Structure formats: C-alpha cells, structure tokens
Amino acid sequence: MRLTRRPPAPVRDRLDLERGERTLATAPTRGGSFVVATTTALHVPTVSGGFARVPWERIDQASWKDGWLHVHETAGGPEHHVRLTEAGSVPETVRERVTATVVVSHNARLPGGGGVRIAGRRPSGGGDVRWSFVFESGLDPDDPGLRAQAEQLLEDLRRQTGL
C-alpha cells in the first residue's frame, strides 16, 4: 500500500477539521480506519467509527512500540492505543508536534513529600500557555492540599520564567 499524506475520502468526511487545519501524516490502523496527524491535532479512531480529536498540547506522552501508537492525554484524560499496519511518518510527526508545544517542563519536590512535573504548553496555533500537573505515582491528584502546594510551585515557576 502506498502511503500518502491525505486520508481516503470516506475518512476525510468523518474528520472534524478546524478551519486551516492541514493533514501532515496518515497511517492505516489494524481496524481498517486511519490515524491522522494534522497541523493542530492528532485524530484517532473511536469504537463508534468516528474520531477523537486530541490537540497536540493535550498530549502528555506518546510512544511508538511494536506497531502500537500509545497516546496519553494530560490531566488524567483518556489514553488511546492504536495498532498501525504501516506507520509511515506518523510516529515522527507526533513526536515533533507534541515537543513543539512544550514551553517549559519542570520537575519539583512538594513540601509535604513526593514530586510533581509542571508542564506549560502552548497550542500550535498560538495563544496562552496552558499549565498541567503530573503527580508522582501514589499521590492523589485530587487532594486539595497537594493541589495547593503544586499551585504555589507553579506561581514560583511563572515568576522565574515570566510566563
């Protein structure tokens, strides 16, 4: 199969593209659909036959292993695991696009113990930096005390960086 940047017409018809959003890379999935990487988001197939649109700045981690694309959204959002039959340039495009949104990534120790990664990401179309916290395993991200400590560390980081 010859890989192209443009997905087939039936796939394009089901994508919810924003004005000016252009396709950068596509890859067929084992389920007969496609993963579509665009200038502003990754579109992954859903079980209902549609697509989940994940803006680049909302991807906390993405990895490519043994034919599988694994995508973890920020702030405890969903995970997407898609088997690609031919990856093409999708893994490289995902890495480049996610990395390009990172303005700052800082690991900090919490005063009460444990750690948190504070990430500032800017949408690929520009705009304000969006901040997220990723707490060490075993820490409850919904604990108001931990959140307050992380928010204080974020304020210190914003002062230091001017963001």
Side-chain angles (χ1 to χ4, degrees):
M1 167 185 242
R2 188 175 145 274
L3 293 178
T4 64
R5 261 189 7 186
R6 265 181 87 134
V11 172
R12 282 194 314 269
D13 293 343
R14 288 183 283 136
L15 289 173
D16 183 23
L17 299 180
E18 294 180 344
R19 182 182 177 114
E21 186 174 5
R22 293 181 337 275
T23 301
L24 301 173
T26 63
T29 68
R30 185 161 200 168
S33 188
F34 280 78
V35 167
V36 180
T38 71
T39 50
T40 58
L42 181 66
H43 299 262
V44 292
T46 63
V47 293
S48 66
F51 288 89
R53 182 180 191 285
V54 187
W56 296 118
E57 71 274 10
R58 282 198 9 230
I59 297 176
D60 182 50
Q61 293 180 7
S63 62
W64 169 249
K65 186 176 180 183
D66 298 327
W68 286 86
L69 179 64
H70 304 281
V71 177
H72 301 262
E73 292 190 36
T74 59
E79 296 180 8
H80 309 277
H81 306 281
V82 185
R83 176 93 180 190
L84 304 180
T85 58
E86 296 181 52
S89 63
V90 166
E92 294 85 5
T93 302
V94 169
R95 177 179 298 280
E96 183 273 328
R97 286 293 170 169
V98 170
T99 301
T101 68
V102 177
V103 176
V104 64
S105 180
H106 177 71
N107 290 313
R109 299 304 307 163
L110 294 163
V116 61
R117 180 168 47 92
I118 302 170
R121 315 278 294 277
R122 190 177 312 278
S124 48
D128 293 336
V129 173
R130 297 177 185 169
W131 297 94
S132 64
F133 301 120
V134 179
F135 292 92
E136 278 184 358
S137 180
L139 296 178
D140 180 5
D142 296 323
D143 179 317
L146 285 179
R147 300 280 311 172
Q149 290 176 15
E151 291 285 348
Q152 183 58 56
L153 291 169
L154 171 58
E155 287 308 310
D156 294 344
L157 181 61
R158 290 180 76 172
R159 273 193 297 280
Q160 292 171 11
T161 61
L163 298 171

